[in-house]
Amino acid sequence: MATHARARLLDTAEALFYAEGIRAVGVERILAESGVGRASFYRHFTGKDALVVAVLTRRDRAWRDWLADRVTALGGRPLDVFDALAERFARADFRGCAFINTMVETADPDSPAHRVAAAHKQQVVDYVAALLADRGHPADRAAALAHRIVLLMDGAIVTALREGTPAPAAEARTIAAALLAAEPPGPGLEDPCAEPAARG
């Protein structure tokens, strides 16, 4: 079925782009590994650029859903984003952030792929800001703090890829905890750094 062909193209392209890079993988390779014919490919996508955008759009939704689910399961605290990242870093197939990788490969900030990747990062900032606001930070301070926390998240991602260890997530978490401790929420509201005693 046509929908199955599109799904196979997206699944194959996403795996190859993440493992090897967007530029390194051509349409012929995607067709060969997906088992989808050229005519079917062009029924779904105008070309490789459109496929890249579709892959990134789908991955954005899936990645943010994963992050929200893991943070909720871990306790719903802002610092839990780093524990979720540590789990990701420990996976054998970890190759960094698909969106950072895309922005490096597609240097033109006006390209559709670059715009999708940049929008993803802003969505992550907005998500972290919402976590902070839920813990009592005023909206303007939550937004500013979220930008700094996502900066630490991105730094941890790149460092974990370079060093081949999940340890940078814990290091970034420690820095973020100090950052949040310096700007506690208002009186009577929950400290976003507060955690169960068992976690230390």
Side-chain angles (χ1 to χ4, degrees):
M1 295 176 63
T3 54
H4 292 164
R6 188 177 193 277
R8 289 204 307 274
L9 288 166
L10 288 170
D11 290 344
T12 302
E14 181 173 0
L16 291 173
F17 290 159
Y18 186 61
E20 301 180 23
I22 293 171
R23 290 182 180 175
V25 178
V27 171
E28 293 299 329
R29 174 93 179 276
I30 295 167
L31 295 179
E33 297 208 12
S34 68
V36 175
R38 180 178 296 277
S40 183
F41 173 86
Y42 285 107
R43 277 197 295 271
H44 295 288
F45 304 103
T46 56
K48 181 181 172 182
D49 288 347
L51 175 61
V52 170
V53 169
V55 165
L56 290 173
T57 300
R58 188 179 72 160
R59 189 177 182 97
D60 164 58
R61 289 192 296 267
W63 196 92
R64 288 188 292 110
D65 286 347
W66 165 82
L67 181 64
D69 288 346
R70 290 307 302 143
V71 167
T72 297
L74 290 165
R77 296 170 294 270
L79 294 179
D80 291 329
V81 298
F82 296 99
D83 298 324
L85 287 180
E87 295 174 358
R88 202 79 168 188
F89 298 167
R91 289 172 44 167
D93 64 348
F94 175 67
R95 298 291 182 275
C97 171
F99 303 94
I100 293 174
N101 298 346
T102 295
M103 286 188 278
V104 170
E105 289 202 68
T106 58
D108 179 5
D110 293 324
S111 72
H114 197 287
R115 288 200 299 269
V116 172
H120 163 80
K121 288 299 180 183
Q122 184 58 54
Q123 292 271 23
V124 176
V125 171
D126 293 344
Y127 168 69
V128 174
L131 289 176
L132 290 164
D134 287 346
R135 295 289 167 134
H137 283 282
D140 58 337
R141 294 309 305 148
L145 287 168
H147 275 283
R148 295 174 186 173
I149 289 174
V150 174
L151 178 65
L152 290 169
M153 292 169 67
D154 285 347
I157 289 168
V158 174
T159 305
L161 180 63
R162 187 184 75 236
E163 296 181 353
T165 170
E171 295 176 27
R173 189 184 197 283
T174 299
I175 298 169
L179 177 68
L180 294 181
E183 294 202 39
L189 297 173
E190 184 176 358
D191 183 348
C193 293
E195 303 182 73
R199 295 191 59 182

